[in-house]
Amino acid sequence: MVQDAFVKIIDIINKVHGLSSSVKSLPLWNRTIFDLQQALKLRAMGEFSSKKIIDFHDVPSPEEWQKVEGVCKIVGSIYEVSNALFETKHLTPNVYLYHLHELHEILTKMSTDSDSFIRTIAEDMLNKFVKYWDNMFLLLAIAAVLDPRFKMKCIEFVCSKVKGRDRNSQVAAVLGAICKHFDEYKILFPEKENFMSDSSSSDSNSGHSPSPAHVNHIFGVLKDYYRFIQSSNQPTKKSDLDCYLEEPILLGARILVN
């Protein structure tokens, strides 16, 4: 995505490369953007305006420098987001949605820029980014919901900001996926019943005379009674997931720890 932006000004990058030995076009895109930013600083200081430089080098025109500034504006913003993600200690997937949403907002804003060159590049980037966003959204959203700083409020917020998407259906899809996984977890790791088993009853009465035969019948009725309560319209106990989602969001907590 970033390399596509550099390709659009590759001839200008080569010109900038020829102006100074400190400015190089390297394979690493983050290094390339740093070098271009340095070149812009040198230009602002008048380093490339002397007659000697102009006579012996193919100096970019003002319009070309403007394109370099535009690319630096876009790619520089992408670098800030990627740096926040990948230069962070103990990176966990719960923060990906937060930062990628930030990038989505940046590209969306730049896709309406008054400069047609910036607008075209941003639109191309946004189209490619949206494809990744659509493929990964559900997975990233689930990870974000499990962060007590975000939960479903974060999903509702993100879905309300992303245009061209059905907010309610996306929120419902995320909640449905989380509930599905939680239900599968409960099947794999069921809660132990609190009913007293026959063996525990006999152990507790060890050393005493055998219990009357009708006691077992009473315990059987008690179990049936509990099952009846669970299947009736009585208020049911909330699951751990319900309790978690209903707890307040941890406001003020830092998103990342460097």
Side-chain angles (χ1 to χ4, degrees), residues 127-145:
N127 290 334
K128 293 181 179 180
F129 178 82
V130 167
K131 292 180 180 179
Y132 173 82
W133 177 273
D134 290 342
N135 290 333
M136 298 299 297
F137 175 75
L138 184 59
L139 180 61
L140 298 177
I142 292 174
V145 171

Side-chain angles (χ1 to χ4, degrees), residues 1 81 85 95-108 125-141 144 154-166 170 174:
M1 187 168 70
V81 175
L85 276 173
V95 298
Y96 272 85
L97 184 69
Y98 168 81
H99 287 293
L100 291 179
H101 176 242
E102 181 76 20
L103 179 56
H104 186 280
E105 291 294 292
I106 291 172
L107 293 177
T108 299
M125 287 185 172
L126 183 60
N127 290 334
K128 293 181 179 180
F129 178 82
V130 167
K131 292 180 180 179
Y132 173 82
W133 177 273
D134 290 342
N135 290 333
M136 298 299 297
F137 175 75
L138 184 59
L139 180 61
L140 298 177
C154 174
I155 309 305
E156 294 171 4
F157 172 75
V158 170
C159 292
S160 68
K161 291 290 185 179
V162 178
K163 296 181 179 179
R165 300 292 184 274
D166 187 339
Q170 281 196 315
V174 173

Side-chain angles (χ1 to χ4, degrees), residues 3-245:
Q3 293 295 347
D4 291 342
F6 289 147
V7 168
K8 292 182 181 297
I9 61 168
I10 187 62
D11 293 337
I12 305 175
I13 291 177
N14 291 334
K15 288 183 180 181
V16 173
H17 172 60
L19 291 175
S20 174
S21 59
S22 63
V23 179
K24 301 177 181 179
S25 179
L26 299 178
L28 297 177
W29 69 268
N30 55 332
R31 183 64 189 178
T32 300
I33 187 62
F34 174 79
D35 291 337
L36 291 177
Q37 290 171 339
Q38 290 298 109
L40 288 173
K41 291 180 180 179
L42 292 174
R43 176 180 180 257
M45 296 168 58
E47 292 293 326
F48 305 140
S49 59
S50 66
K51 187 176 185 301
K52 180 180 179 180
I53 293 292
I54 295 175
D55 289 342
F56 289 93
H57 296 277
D58 187 7
V59 180
S61 66
E63 292 76 15
E64 289 176 326
W65 280 117
Q66 187 175 358
K67 289 183 178 181
V68 173
E69 291 177 352
V71 169
C72 286
K73 179 180 178 181
I74 298 174
V75 179
S77 298
I78 295 175
Y79 173 75
E80 290 180 1
V81 175
S82 64
N83 188 59
L85 276 173
F86 302 114
E87 296 298 325
T88 301
K89 296 179 181 178
H90 312 300
L91 179 64
T92 51
N94 51 299
V95 298
Y96 272 85
L97 184 69
Y98 168 81
H99 287 293
L100 291 179
H101 176 242
E102 181 76 20
L103 179 56
H104 186 280
E105 291 294 292
I106 291 172
L107 293 177
T108 299
K109 182 178 180 180
M110 290 187 177
S111 66
T112 60
D113 196 276
S114 58
D115 188 316
S116 60
F117 181 74
I118 294 178
R119 185 169 63 249
T120 300
I121 293 179
E123 287 175 350
D124 291 342
M125 287 185 172
L126 183 60
N127 290 334
K128 293 181 179 180
F129 178 82
V130 167
K131 292 180 180 179
Y132 173 82
W133 177 273
D134 290 342
N135 290 333
M136 298 299 297
F137 175 75
L138 184 59
L139 180 61
L140 298 177
I142 292 174
V145 171
L146 297 180
D147 188 322
R149 298 167 298 180
F150 299 139
K151 300 188 181 182
M152 286 302 299
K153 286 296 181 183
C154 174
I155 309 305
E156 294 171 4
F157 172 75
V158 170
C159 292
S160 68
K161 291 290 185 179
V162 178
K163 296 181 179 179
R165 300 292 184 274
D166 187 339
R167 171 188 174 182
N168 293 333
S169 63
Q170 281 196 315
V171 172
V174 173
L175 183 59
I178 293 176
C179 292
K180 178 177 179 292
H181 286 298
F182 183 75
D183 290 341
E184 292 174 351
Y185 175 85
K186 288 195 298 182
I187 294 174
L188 293 175
F189 305 97
E191 295 183 6
K192 294 182 179 180
E193 293 184 350
N194 294 323
F195 304 129
M196 185 182 297
S197 65
D198 294 340
S199 60
S200 62
S201 175
S202 60
D203 291 340
S204 63
N205 293 323
S206 59
H208 299 279
S209 58
S211 301
H214 68 274
V215 171
N216 288 332
H217 176 69
I218 293 175
F219 280 127
V221 171
L222 185 60
K223 291 180 181 179
D224 289 338
Y225 174 64
Y226 284 145
R227 282 194 288 268
F228 170 77
I229 293 177
Q230 293 174 352
S231 62
S232 67
N233 293 326
Q234 297 291 329
T236 57
K237 178 183 177 182
K238 292 183 179 179
S239 68
D240 292 339
L241 176 61
D242 292 330
C243 294
Y244 167 76
L245 293 177

